[in-house]
Amino acid sequence: MAKIVLSLGGSILVPSLESHTVSEYVAALTEMATRAQVFVVVGGGGEARRYIRAARSLGISEASSDEIGIMVTRINATLLMLALGDAAYPAIATSYRQAREFGESGKIVVMGGVTPGQTTDAVSAVLAETVGADVIINGTSVDAIYSADPKVEKDARRYDHLTPAELLGIISSARLDAGSNTVIDIVAAKVIERSGIPLAVIDGRNPRNLVVAVCEGKFEGTIVSEGACSPFPL
């Protein structure tokens, strides 16, 4: 069976205290798990960034601020894991070794952050190497990778396909402060380049986009790989 690592933004899963997409993701992940073994790495989203801003205002170091952000990612991961019920391994993984071991159950494995200085995108890329994933999916708040933030620059170029080297060229100036928020960070991009595992950037605001890509091969977004072929359907 194919293996998927999904990097799921916290702002996609829990965009505010008043709304969330957890139920929709439970349905989507359960369906995807009929076609592939699924590992999910959940980010901290806006809540993590709010805590990190509060930490900085108190003079707390970037490393310690990262630790606080990791705690928030694990809260989000726990929320998703519990909502998945019997479909998920009944604990969140806190290391790559644990995630690999939990995956032997055949259930969906959920985890959050691991190491200060690494975003959950980087965690997803390293996890994909660890478990030998066939594809990494980045469920994000944009519909593809652009040459610049399309919410800021209306004439930003949209990419259907990039090589890992081209992706690195686009994001090489990204900052890595605690709570940084880019479509994917440079550490993740470098791991993707060395591993050769394809990355698919998909609009995660509608979880059905992921199901349609994985199960039907109808993909809209950006593929990052040396070749232009889509890894879908699995």
Side-chain angles (χ1 to χ4, degrees):
M1 181 178 277
K3 293 180 181 178
I4 297 169
V5 171
L6 169 62
S7 179
L8 181 59
S11 295
I12 295 296
L13 190 67
V14 188
S16 73
L17 295 176
E18 293 76 30
S19 65
H20 63 78
T21 60
V22 177
S23 297
E24 291 88 344
Y25 265 101
V26 166
L29 292 168
T30 302
E31 187 171 349
M32 290 163 62
T34 65
R35 298 291 292 269
Q37 185 175 11
V38 180
F39 297 80
V40 187
V41 181
V42 184
E47 200 63 37
R49 287 187 284 276
R50 283 189 286 274
Y51 271 95
I52 287 167
R53 284 197 298 270
R56 287 190 183 126
S57 74
L58 296 168
I60 295 171
S61 70
E62 285 295 306
S64 295
S65 296
D66 260 331
E67 293 279 9
I68 292 169
I70 287 170
M71 292 177 193
V72 178
T73 69
R74 292 179 178 176
I75 291 171
N76 288 342
T78 301
L79 178 67
L80 178 60
M81 179 270 293
L82 292 172
L84 281 162
D86 290 341
Y89 189 87
I92 63 165
T94 57
S95 70
Y96 302 112
R97 178 182 56 80
Q98 268 195 344
R100 184 176 63 242
E101 291 173 355
F102 291 176
E104 294 173 1
S105 68
K107 293 180 179 288
I108 298 168
V109 177
V110 185
M111 67 187 298
V114 173
T115 306
Q118 279 193 345
T119 68
T120 46
D121 286 337
V123 172
S124 299
V126 175
L127 177 61
E129 279 192 318
T130 302
V131 302
D134 295 278
V135 63
I136 304 164
I137 299 175
N138 190 341
T140 186
S141 60
V142 292
D143 62 353
I145 295 175
Y146 289 79
S147 59
D149 186 346
K151 298 173 184 176
V152 177
E153 298 189 23
K154 301 302 180 184
D155 59 348
R157 178 183 174 187
R158 184 184 188 278
Y159 298 101
D160 294 325
H161 176 263
L162 290 167
T163 66
E166 289 169 337
L167 174 62
L168 279 166
I170 291 171
I171 63 174
S172 60
S173 61
R175 292 176 60 86
L176 282 179
D177 294 339
S180 61
N181 184 28
T182 58
V183 67
I184 191 166
D185 72 80
I186 194 166
V187 175
K190 287 182 175 180
V191 175
I192 288 165
E193 181 181 45
R194 79 182 183 194
S195 71
I197 299 171
L199 166 71
V201 176
I202 301 177
D203 188 342
R205 291 169 291 188
N206 181 357
R208 291 300 305 174
N209 291 338
L210 282 66
V211 176
V212 169
V214 168
C215 299
E216 301 176 24
K218 297 175 182 177
F219 171 74
E220 293 186 9
T222 303
I223 292 290
V224 179
S225 64
E226 289 297 342
C229 295
S230 171
F232 304 118
L234 294 175

